[in-house]
Amino acid sequence: AMLARSCVQSLSSVLGPRVACSIPKRFAGHSHWSNIKRVKAVEDVKRAKIFGKLSREITNVVRLHGEELSGNPRLGVVLAHARSVNMPKQAIDKALKSGSGKLEGVAYEEYLYEGFGPLRGGFLVSVLTDNKNRTVQHLRTIFARNGGELGVSGSASKLFVKKGLLTAHVIPQSESGFLDEAINAGAEDVLEIEEPSNKDTKQFEVHTDFVSMMKVRKSLLNTSVEGITNVQAEAVWIPLNQVSLEDADDEQRGEIDKLINELEDLDDVQSVRHNYDIQTQE
């Protein structure tokens, strides 16, 4: 298989968008320490929101499929995410116990909602909620005020296919061995994500069919090839085709950004997938 070098749109999972915070230059009358504290407060709020979403998902996955990892591969994916973002062990254990019934907790239901944004870009919004009517109303409002609409079942999902997505960091001298290991384990595609700020390792995305995802991850974790680290896996909906933003005006671009951010910020929302070609917006 040929390695395609690509600046790939970051597919997030339950983790939400990455946050880049910069500390403003110091001006007269402004406290540098105050700026640092403000940035830290924003990061703390973001981290708490991520932990809250993960707690819901852990609880729900255990409630539906049990605590045994051998019979619940989805739980392994969620726990890997939780540990990768340094979710406290106490919070993970509490979520596990809530899902198994050892602790009393809220019962969440899982739903996948579909919708459209400006330029008829498709959206898949995964939610965990204890109040479906409340969540639907929030979603409908967010779509409507940002040039979109909430769709019916099957309206947008036909624009995507469910796949497994793994990410890994690899030292340059192990690149060839990593590619061989991934392909032999069943990977469908391997893409290098360009990260100019990281000179010591390269980051790769490995695409698999959904059923083979954890098998490929296990092979990469247990391989004799050295220098493969931070191997994470998640189930994702991959767009069959992307909507270009080259001809979008400023208002449409703003609505798209705002729509994505507002959906991801909703507490009930676990993940947001869309088929916009974000690269064309840069």
Side-chain angles (χ1 to χ4, degrees), residues 150-169:
L150 191 63
V152 298
S153 178
S155 59
S157 57
K158 62 186 178 184
L159 304 175
F160 299 81
V161 61
K162 194 173 186 179
K163 294 285 188 178
L165 175 69
L166 295 91
T167 57
H169 287 83

Side-chain angles (χ1 to χ4, degrees), residues 115-176:
F116 296 91
L119 305 177
R120 297 300 290 175
F123 280 82
L124 297 180
V125 184
S126 175
V127 307
L128 281 175
T129 179
D130 60 345
N131 187 326
K132 180 181 179 181
N133 292 334
R134 177 198 66 213
T135 302
V136 169
Q137 186 56 49
H138 285 164
L139 292 175
R140 184 174 286 115
T141 299
I142 291 172
F143 273 105
R145 70 182 174 213
N146 291 292
E149 61 180 356
L150 191 63
V152 298
S153 178
S155 59
S157 57
K158 62 186 178 184
L159 304 175
F160 299 81
V161 61
K162 194 173 186 179
K163 294 285 188 178
L165 175 69
L166 295 91
T167 57
H169 287 83
V170 184
I171 58 176
Q173 55 268 40
S174 294
E175 181 177 332
S176 178

Side-chain angles (χ1 to χ4, degrees), residues 108-275:
Y108 295 106
E109 297 293 334
E110 184 175 17
Y111 300 96
L112 182 69
Y113 291 103
E114 305 176 32
F116 296 91
L119 305 177
R120 297 300 290 175
F123 280 82
L124 297 180
V125 184
S126 175
V127 307
L128 281 175
T129 179
D130 60 345
N131 187 326
K132 180 181 179 181
N133 292 334
R134 177 198 66 213
T135 302
V136 169
Q137 186 56 49
H138 285 164
L139 292 175
R140 184 174 286 115
T141 299
I142 291 172
F143 273 105
R145 70 182 174 213
N146 291 292
E149 61 180 356
L150 191 63
V152 298
S153 178
S155 59
S157 57
K158 62 186 178 184
L159 304 175
F160 299 81
V161 61
K162 194 173 186 179
K163 294 285 188 178
L165 175 69
L166 295 91
T167 57
H169 287 83
V170 184
I171 58 176
Q173 55 268 40
S174 294
E175 181 177 332
S176 178
F178 166 77
L179 293 174
D180 288 342
E181 187 70 36
I183 292 167
N184 291 335
E188 295 180 342
D189 197 7
V190 181
L191 303 172
E192 181 182 346
I193 304 174
E194 294 182 3
E195 286 191 309
S197 60
N198 191 340
K199 304 297 183 183
D200 297 326
T201 63
K202 295 182 178 182
Q203 185 175 356
F204 291 89
E205 282 189 351
V206 180
H207 295 187
T208 73
D209 63 70
F210 177 66
V211 175
S212 302
M213 176 175 62
M214 297 309 293
K215 171 179 172 288
V216 175
R217 181 174 186 267
K218 183 176 181 180
S219 294
L220 293 176
L221 288 172
N222 296 333
T223 181
S224 59
V225 179
E226 297 181 352
I228 301 175
T229 57
N230 198 26
V231 181
Q232 304 298 331
E234 62 176 316
V236 296
W237 290 88
I238 303 293
L240 294 172
N241 294 289
Q242 291 188 305
V243 176
S244 172
L245 301 184
E246 289 182 352
D247 297 327
D249 57 34
D250 290 342
E251 181 179 357
Q252 289 171 325
R253 292 169 185 257
E255 285 179 333
I256 291 168
D257 284 340
K258 193 164 178 283
L259 175 56
I260 295 170
N261 289 333
E262 288 190 13
L263 288 172
E264 289 177 333
D265 200 45
L266 196 62
D267 287 340
D268 293 339
V269 170
Q270 293 297 105
S271 66
V272 177
R273 306 296 179 199
H274 60 79
N275 66 343

Side-chain angles (χ1 to χ4, degrees), residues 9-48:
Q9 172 192 352
S10 176
L11 299 173
S12 159
S13 70
V14 300
L15 301 179
R18 298 177 183 175
V19 178
C21 296
S22 59
I23 300 174
K25 294 180 180 179
R26 188 174 184 179
F27 295 98
H30 291 262
S31 167
H32 179 63
W33 175 240
S34 176
N35 288 333
I36 293 175
K37 289 193 292 185
R38 189 179 303 114
V39 171
K40 184 178 184 302
V42 171
E43 292 175 343
D44 288 346
V45 170
K46 189 67 179 179
R47 188 177 299 111

